[in-house]
Amino acid sequence: MNNSGKQSKIPVGISSCLLGEPVRYDGEHKHNVLITTQLQDIFEFRHFCPEVSIGLGVPRDPIQLVHTPRGIRVRGVHNPELDVTSKLEDYGQRVATEYADICGYIFKARSPSCGTASVATWTEQGFEDRTNGTGIYAAALIEAMPGLPVTDEECLQDPIQRGYFIEEVTRWYRNHRQSRRSD
Ligand code: SF4
């Protein structure tokens, strides 16, 4: 509860493009109506576009996950010399530290930065390899905040998965609010 007696909204991180911000590589967005109607009543969104935040700009050269001898890297589709893996990892860790009050995260599905699963991976020769990658920013943030409830806009379309995510976020909020009070 806040001072006015109203229930406080729960802080949740989200990929900016899902709120309708035109931050994608092509200057478009991926506004998700379910999120900005039903979920905006419960959650207070903290929005992040890691690709813009690391300085790639809009519009920008698209990036992709590539299998290399150094492991999976994020490189420019048209410019393989562009490798933003470390910058995206650093930014994921930074968000986890600076926004430690978030109680969940809604990621954009299948993005090489934000996707939590099923992201396409490519060979260095330019062939699609698998579709089981994880976005580099998402992986770094999840590793830095173990157990944080996470989902994506595709999972949220399913009412059962949506309800489960809301429950998990609420539980995380209660547990962490209590532990902060007892500090
Ligand atoms: S998926 Fe992530 S990196 Fe891509 S536009 Fe959306 S917020 Fe930015």
Side-chain angles (χ1 to χ4, degrees):
M1 294 278 216
N2 61 24
N3 291 339
S4 66
K6 284 188 187 162
Q7 189 75 38
S8 303
K9 288 192 190 181
I10 303 176
V12 164
I14 189 166
S15 298
S16 298
C17 55
L18 294 173
L19 295 180
E21 292 178 29
V23 289
R24 298 193 77 225
Y25 72 94
D26 55 2
E28 296 292 328
H29 59 74
K30 282 285 178 183
H31 179 212
N32 186 283
V33 174
L34 186 144
I35 290 172
T36 56
T37 53
Q38 295 188 31
L39 297 184
Q40 205 140 24
D41 291 340
I42 318 170
F43 299 145
E44 179 187 303
F45 289 125
R46 309 270 157 83
H47 50 106
F48 307 94
C49 177
E51 292 178 23
V52 169
S53 294
I54 66 168
L56 290 181
V58 183
R60 57 184 171 274
D61 190 20
I63 54 179
Q64 62 187 7
L65 298 181
V66 181
H67 291 277
T68 78
R70 295 172 60 206
I72 291 198
R73 310 290 299 174
V74 201
R75 290 180 176 171
V77 172
H78 307 300
N79 174 18
E81 299 298 308
L82 176 72
D83 185 325
V84 290
T85 314
S86 302
K87 283 187 176 176
L88 286 171
E89 287 171 344
D90 291 349
Y91 187 64
Q93 287 160 7
R94 208 176 103 202
V95 168
T97 304
E98 292 180 8
Y99 296 86
D101 65 330
I102 58 173
C103 300
Y105 206 114
I106 302 172
F107 288 101
K108 171 74 191 73
R110 285 176 284 126
S111 149
S113 301
C114 292
T116 54
S118 308
V119 182
T121 60
W122 299 76
T123 67
E124 287 191 294
Q125 291 71 38
F127 298 106
E128 189 167 346
D129 186 43
R130 292 174 215 152
T131 49
N132 62 354
T134 303
I136 298 297
Y137 162 77
L141 189 140
I142 290 167
E143 191 183 338
M145 300 185 84
L148 183 77
V150 300
T151 189
D152 63 40
E153 81 286 8
E154 293 180 354
C155 293
L156 287 173
Q157 299 308 306
D158 174 34
I160 293 175
Q161 295 199 57
R162 186 162 69 245
Y164 183 68
F165 178 69
I166 294 170
E167 247 176 56
E168 289 286 289
V169 168
T170 306
R171 189 174 305 128
W172 180 283
Y173 175 67
R174 288 200 187 114
N175 290 344
H176 286 74
R177 193 179 49 176
Q178 273 162 10
S179 68
R180 272 198 291 270
R181 277 181 183 155
S182 57
D183 281 348

